[in-house]
Amino acid sequence: MSNSDVESRKGSGITVNTSNNPGLGNEIYTDSNIETNEQNNGNGKLGKWQNFKDSFKEAIPENSESYIDKTELRDYNELTDVERAALNSSRTQMKKDLSTRHLMMIVIGGALGTGLFVNSGGSLNTGGPAALVIGWVIIATMMFSTMVALGELCVTFPVTGGFTTYATRFIDPSFGFAMGWNYALQWLILFPLELVAAAITIKYWNHKIDSDAWVAIFYVFVFILNMLDVKIYAETEVVMSLIKIIAAAGFFILGLVLIGGGGPSGGYIGGKYWENPGAFSHGFKGVCSVFVTAAFSFAGTELIAVMGSECSNPRETIPKAAKQTFWLLTIIYVTMLTLIGCLVPYNDSRLLNSDPDAKASISPFVIAIKNGGIKGLPSLMNAIILIAVLSVANSSVYASSRVFASLADIGHAPKILSYIDRRGRPLVATLFTLIFGLISFIASSSKQNEVFTWLSALSGLSTIFAWLSVCIAHLRFRRALYVQGRSTDELTYVSQTGVWGSVYGIFMNMLVLMGQFWVALFPTDKADAESFFSVWLSLVLFVVFYFGHKLWKKNWTLFIRAKDMDIDTGRKHIDMELLKQEIIFEKQRLANSPLYYRAYKYWC
C-alpha cells in the first residue's frame, strides 16, 4: 500500500497495515473520502464506472469482528510459521454473505454431479445393485462422522482455508502444505475437465459442432459468474442445485412407476434384476470397486470448511448446513441408486460403452428411461446432466480459488494469491484458476483423454487425504484441549460422534485407500502399472510435497505437541459464562420438547 493510499484513508476507524504483513498494522483511519467512488456516491454513469473499477482494488481491512489473538503483543517477524498461519487465516477480508441455504446448495453443486448421473452406471456394472446400496450406505456413515467433526472445527475457528489451515495448526505444517496443494490441484484440474465433459454431453444432440465452440460458451458462463459478488454466485448455485434436486425427486416418482409396470414399453419389473442377472457382480472385488466410487461421489462435501470464513453466522450456519447437506445427499444417492439397480440390469451392454462421446447415453438414468419406452425424457435427463456438470465446473473455480488464497494466507503459496478485492473475491487466485481452465480447449484433440487422465492422477486421492486430515486434526485439537486443561464446555458446537467418530473416519478412509490400491493395481486378473499410477500418482506427489516442505523449512518434527498448540487464535471473543448459560437454557428447552423434535435437532 502506497503512502498516498494511507494518507487518503486517515480518520476512518479502519485498520490499515503499515508493517511488513498486510492486515496486521495498528494505525486507525476513517472511511470518509477513501475513494473516488464514495465521493461520487454511486450516482450517474461516472460513479457506477468508478465503483466497478474500484471493486477490483485490494480490500480495506475492517475491524467489524473481534477475534482472539495470542500473538498480538509480539512482533510479527518473531512469530513461528504456525503462529503466522493461525494469525493470517483469522483476518480474512472475504465478505460474510453466505447463509445456510447458500452453503448447502454450493456443496450440493460440487458433490451432486457425474458421480450420480453418469459414473454410477460403471459402478452398477462392476458391483451389481446390492453393492451400490451397501457401498454408499457404509461410506455415508463415515461421512457423517467426518462432517460433524469438521463442523466443530469450523465453528470454533471460522478461518480461511478450513481443513488446510487446521492440518497446519494441529497436525504439522508439512502435512498441511502437502494436503493443501494436493486438494487445490484437484479442483484446479476438475474445472477444465468438467468443461470438456459438458461439451461432450452436448454431442447427445449434435455431433457436428466443434466441441471447442461449446467449451468457449461454457467457459465464458463460468468466468462471468465467478467475477460477480459471491452472493450472486451463491444464488446461481442455489438455482442449479435446485434443478438437480427436483430432477432427482421427479426420477424417484418415475422410477416407482416404471418398476410397477407403468411404462409404455414395459411390464412389472419389481426386483427381477436382483435375481437375474443377480444382486452382485464380480464378487467381493466388485463391492470394493463400488466402495471406492461411493467415497469419491461424496467429494465436495468438505467445501463447507472452505466457505466457513464467508458465513454470516458460523455458529448457527455451519452445523446446520453440514448435517442437512449430508442427509440430503445421502437420501438422494441411496434412493436413486436403489431405483437404478431395479431398472437397469448390471450386464446391460450400454453400461460397458467406453466411447467418451457416448458419455450421456451410458448414464443409467437415460438407459432406465429408454427401457421404459418414454420419449422425450431422455433428452430432458441429458439436459439435467449438462446442468450438473456445469454446476460442478462452477463450484471447482470457487473451491480452487479459496483454497489457493488460504494457502497463500498461511505461507504455503505465493503471497499474491491471497489478494482479496473490495467485493470479497480472491481475485488473483480466481484468475489463476480461470487461466488454467483454458486447457479445456483441447476438447477437440484426439489426445484429450490421455491429458486429463494424467492430470487427474496428480490429485486423484486428494479428497481422501482431506477427509483424513479433518479426522486427525479433530483428534489433535481434542487432545490439545485435554492436555491444556480445557474442555468442550467452551465450544459453541460439539461433534455428535466425538473423538470416536473421528477414529472411525480414519479407519474407514484407510479402508477406502486399501480398496483403491487393489482395484487400481488389478483392474482385471492381471496387474496393470498404468492403471495403478493413474490413481496413485497423487500419493507420490503428496510425498514429494511433504518432504519438500520438510527440507525447505528444516522442520523434522512429525507432529505438533498438544501442549504447544495454539487453540485460541482465530476464535471469536465470546463471553464464556453467557455462552454456558445459553447452552444450559437450550438443553432445558429441548428436554421439554417432543422426542421427534429432539431427535431432529440432534441429527439435523
Side-chain angles (χ1 to χ4, degrees), residues 397-413:
V397 177
Y398 177 92
S400 178
S401 61
R402 268 62 182 180
V403 175
F404 275 121
S406 70
L407 289 174
D409 271 339
I410 62 180
H412 288 341

PDB file of all heavy atoms in Angstrom, residues 397-413:
ATOM      1  N   VAL A 397     -14.165 -23.715  -9.628  1.00  0.00           N
ATOM      2  CA  VAL A 397     -13.463 -22.428  -9.641  1.00  0.00           C
ATOM      3  C   VAL A 397     -13.537 -21.787  -8.265  1.00  0.00           C
ATOM      4  O   VAL A 397     -12.539 -21.262  -7.746  1.00  0.00           O
ATOM      5  CB  VAL A 397     -14.058 -21.483 -10.702  1.00  0.00           C
ATOM      6  CG1 VAL A 397     -13.374 -20.123 -10.661  1.00  0.00           C
ATOM      7  CG2 VAL A 397     -13.919 -22.086 -12.087  1.00  0.00           C
ATOM      8  N   TYR A 398     -14.723 -21.832  -7.657  1.00  0.00           N
ATOM      9  CA  TYR A 398     -14.895 -21.282  -6.308  1.00  0.00           C
ATOM     10  C   TYR A 398     -13.955 -21.978  -5.321  1.00  0.00           C
ATOM     11  O   TYR A 398     -13.220 -21.325  -4.566  1.00  0.00           O
ATOM     12  CB  TYR A 398     -16.350 -21.451  -5.865  1.00  0.00           C
ATOM     13  CG  TYR A 398     -16.615 -20.990  -4.451  1.00  0.00           C
ATOM     14  CD1 TYR A 398     -17.026 -19.692  -4.195  1.00  0.00           C
ATOM     15  CD2 TYR A 398     -16.427 -21.848  -3.367  1.00  0.00           C
ATOM     16  CE1 TYR A 398     -17.250 -19.264  -2.893  1.00  0.00           C
ATOM     17  CE2 TYR A 398     -16.647 -21.431  -2.069  1.00  0.00           C
ATOM     18  CZ  TYR A 398     -17.072 -20.137  -1.834  1.00  0.00           C
ATOM     19  OH  TYR A 398     -17.277 -19.708  -0.551  1.00  0.00           O
ATOM     20  N   ALA A 399     -13.978 -23.310  -5.320  1.00  0.00           N
ATOM     21  CA  ALA A 399     -13.177 -24.066  -4.360  1.00  0.00           C
ATOM     22  C   ALA A 399     -11.687 -23.856  -4.581  1.00  0.00           C
ATOM     23  O   ALA A 399     -10.934 -23.606  -3.633  1.00  0.00           O
ATOM     24  CB  ALA A 399     -13.521 -25.547  -4.460  1.00  0.00           C
ATOM     25  N   SER A 400     -11.244 -23.964  -5.821  1.00  0.00           N
ATOM     26  CA  SER A 400      -9.825 -23.816  -6.121  1.00  0.00           C
ATOM     27  C   SER A 400      -9.307 -22.450  -5.711  1.00  0.00           C
ATOM     28  O   SER A 400      -8.250 -22.338  -5.075  1.00  0.00           O
ATOM     29  CB  SER A 400      -9.583 -24.043  -7.617  1.00  0.00           C
ATOM     30  OG  SER A 400      -8.228 -23.855  -7.943  1.00  0.00           O
ATOM     31  N   SER A 401     -10.055 -21.401  -6.034  1.00  0.00           N
ATOM     32  CA  SER A 401      -9.592 -20.048  -5.710  1.00  0.00           C
ATOM     33  C   SER A 401      -9.504 -19.834  -4.206  1.00  0.00           C
ATOM     34  O   SER A 401      -8.547 -19.223  -3.715  1.00  0.00           O
ATOM     35  CB  SER A 401     -10.523 -19.010  -6.338  1.00  0.00           C
ATOM     36  OG  SER A 401     -11.842 -19.127  -5.844  1.00  0.00           O
ATOM     37  N   ARG A 402     -10.486 -20.346  -3.461  1.00  0.00           N
ATOM     38  CA  ARG A 402     -10.464 -20.162  -1.995  1.00  0.00           C
ATOM     39  C   ARG A 402      -9.325 -20.948  -1.354  1.00  0.00           C
ATOM     40  O   ARG A 402      -8.693 -20.465  -0.413  1.00  0.00           O
ATOM     41  CB  ARG A 402     -11.798 -20.596  -1.396  1.00  0.00           C
ATOM     42  CG  ARG A 402     -12.832 -19.494  -1.243  1.00  0.00           C
ATOM     43  CD  ARG A 402     -13.218 -18.889  -2.549  1.00  0.00           C
ATOM     44  NE  ARG A 402     -14.179 -17.793  -2.412  1.00  0.00           N
ATOM     45  CZ  ARG A 402     -14.664 -17.118  -3.426  1.00  0.00           C
ATOM     46  NH1 ARG A 402     -14.277 -17.413  -4.674  1.00  0.00           N
ATOM     47  NH2 ARG A 402     -15.519 -16.132  -3.251  1.00  0.00           N
ATOM     48  N   VAL A 403      -9.076 -22.150  -1.853  1.00  0.00           N
ATOM     49  CA  VAL A 403      -8.002 -22.951  -1.256  1.00  0.00           C
ATOM     50  C   VAL A 403      -6.639 -22.325  -1.563  1.00  0.00           C
ATOM     51  O   VAL A 403      -5.775 -22.240  -0.681  1.00  0.00           O
ATOM     52  CB  VAL A 403      -8.062 -24.409  -1.750  1.00  0.00           C
ATOM     53  CG1 VAL A 403      -6.880 -25.205  -1.220  1.00  0.00           C
ATOM     54  CG2 VAL A 403      -9.366 -25.067  -1.310  1.00  0.00           C
ATOM     55  N   PHE A 404      -6.451 -21.873  -2.795  1.00  0.00           N
ATOM     56  CA  PHE A 404      -5.179 -21.217  -3.121  1.00  0.00           C
ATOM     57  C   PHE A 404      -4.985 -19.938  -2.298  1.00  0.00           C
ATOM     58  O   PHE A 404      -3.871 -19.645  -1.842  1.00  0.00           O
ATOM     59  CB  PHE A 404      -5.109 -20.897  -4.615  1.00  0.00           C
ATOM     60  CG  PHE A 404      -4.629 -22.038  -5.461  1.00  0.00           C
ATOM     61  CD1 PHE A 404      -5.417 -22.550  -6.480  1.00  0.00           C
ATOM     62  CD2 PHE A 404      -3.381 -22.607  -5.239  1.00  0.00           C
ATOM     63  CE1 PHE A 404      -4.983 -23.616  -7.265  1.00  0.00           C
ATOM     64  CE2 PHE A 404      -2.937 -23.678  -6.006  1.00  0.00           C
ATOM     65  CZ  PHE A 404      -3.737 -24.179  -7.012  1.00  0.00           C
ATOM     66  N   ALA A 405      -6.060 -19.183  -2.109  1.00  0.00           N
ATOM     67  CA  ALA A 405      -5.962 -17.962  -1.304  1.00  0.00           C
ATOM     68  C   ALA A 405      -5.599 -18.293   0.139  1.00  0.00           C
ATOM     69  O   ALA A 405      -4.781 -17.595   0.767  1.00  0.00           O
ATOM     70  CB  ALA A 405      -7.276 -17.189  -1.357  1.00  0.00           C
ATOM     71  N   SER A 406      -6.190 -19.366   0.672  1.00  0.00           N
ATOM     72  CA  SER A 406      -5.873 -19.744   2.054  1.00  0.00           C
ATOM     73  C   SER A 406      -4.443 -20.266   2.173  1.00  0.00           C
ATOM     74  O   SER A 406      -3.763 -19.987   3.175  1.00  0.00           O
ATOM     75  CB  SER A 406      -6.859 -20.814   2.540  1.00  0.00           C
ATOM     76  OG  SER A 406      -6.644 -22.052   1.889  1.00  0.00           O
ATOM     77  N   LEU A 407      -3.978 -20.995   1.166  1.00  0.00           N
ATOM     78  CA  LEU A 407      -2.592 -21.468   1.185  1.00  0.00           C
ATOM     79  C   LEU A 407      -1.629 -20.282   1.178  1.00  0.00           C
ATOM     80  O   LEU A 407      -0.581 -20.303   1.848  1.00  0.00           O
ATOM     81  CB  LEU A 407      -2.323 -22.367  -0.024  1.00  0.00           C
ATOM     82  CG  LEU A 407      -2.982 -23.750  -0.008  1.00  0.00           C
ATOM     83  CD1 LEU A 407      -2.755 -24.466  -1.340  1.00  0.00           C
ATOM     84  CD2 LEU A 407      -2.439 -24.596   1.140  1.00  0.00           C
ATOM     85  N   ALA A 408      -1.982 -19.244   0.437  1.00  0.00           N
ATOM     86  CA  ALA A 408      -1.144 -18.039   0.427  1.00  0.00           C
ATOM     87  C   ALA A 408      -1.199 -17.334   1.774  1.00  0.00           C
ATOM     88  O   ALA A 408      -0.185 -16.821   2.267  1.00  0.00           O
ATOM     89  CB  ALA A 408      -1.613 -17.100  -0.689  1.00  0.00           C
ATOM     90  N   ASP A 409      -2.381 -17.319   2.397  1.00  0.00           N
ATOM     91  CA  ASP A 409      -2.525 -16.681   3.702  1.00  0.00           C
ATOM     92  C   ASP A 409      -1.619 -17.309   4.751  1.00  0.00           C
ATOM     93  O   ASP A 409      -1.046 -16.610   5.600  1.00  0.00           O
ATOM     94  CB  ASP A 409      -3.982 -16.784   4.174  1.00  0.00           C
ATOM     95  CG  ASP A 409      -4.823 -15.613   3.705  1.00  0.00           C
ATOM     96  OD1 ASP A 409      -4.254 -14.562   3.381  1.00  0.00           O
ATOM     97  OD2 ASP A 409      -6.062 -15.753   3.650  1.00  0.00           O
ATOM     98  N   ILE A 410      -1.506 -18.625   4.722  1.00  0.00           N
ATOM     99  CA  ILE A 410      -0.738 -19.312   5.760  1.00  0.00           C
ATOM    100  C   ILE A 410       0.699 -19.583   5.333  1.00  0.00           C
ATOM    101  O   ILE A 410       1.416 -20.343   5.983  1.00  0.00           O
ATOM    102  CB  ILE A 410      -1.422 -20.622   6.190  1.00  0.00           C
ATOM    103  CG1 ILE A 410      -1.529 -21.599   5.026  1.00  0.00           C
ATOM    104  CG2 ILE A 410      -2.794 -20.340   6.769  1.00  0.00           C
ATOM    105  CD1 ILE A 410      -2.206 -22.921   5.385  1.00  0.00           C
ATOM    106  N   GLY A 411       1.125 -18.962   4.225  1.00  0.00           N
ATOM    107  CA  GLY A 411       2.513 -19.055   3.805  1.00  0.00           C
ATOM    108  C   GLY A 411       2.874 -20.270   2.994  1.00  0.00           C
ATOM    109  O   GLY A 411       4.057 -20.581   2.818  1.00  0.00           O
ATOM    110  N   HIS A 412       1.880 -20.987   2.453  1.00  0.00           N
ATOM    111  CA  HIS A 412       2.141 -22.193   1.672  1.00  0.00           C
ATOM    112  C   HIS A 412       2.082 -21.956   0.169  1.00  0.00           C
ATOM    113  O   HIS A 412       2.237 -22.902  -0.615  1.00  0.00           O
ATOM    114  CB  HIS A 412       1.139 -23.290   2.042  1.00  0.00           C
ATOM    115  CG  HIS A 412       1.363 -23.880   3.400  1.00  0.00           C
ATOM    116  ND1 HIS A 412       2.553 -23.765   4.084  1.00  0.00           N
ATOM    117  CD2 HIS A 412       0.530 -24.600   4.221  1.00  0.00           C
ATOM    118  CE1 HIS A 412       2.457 -24.384   5.250  1.00  0.00           C
ATOM    119  NE2 HIS A 412       1.247 -24.895   5.359  1.00  0.00           N
ATOM    120  N   ALA A 413       1.800 -20.740  -0.253  1.00  0.00           N
ATOM    121  CA  ALA A 413       1.711 -20.403  -1.675  1.00  0.00           C
ATOM    122  C   ALA A 413       2.150 -18.952  -1.846  1.00  0.00           C
ATOM    123  O   ALA A 413       2.233 -18.203  -0.866  1.00  0.00           O
ATOM    124  CB  ALA A 413       0.285 -20.614  -2.188  1.00  0.00           C
TER     125      ALA A 413
END
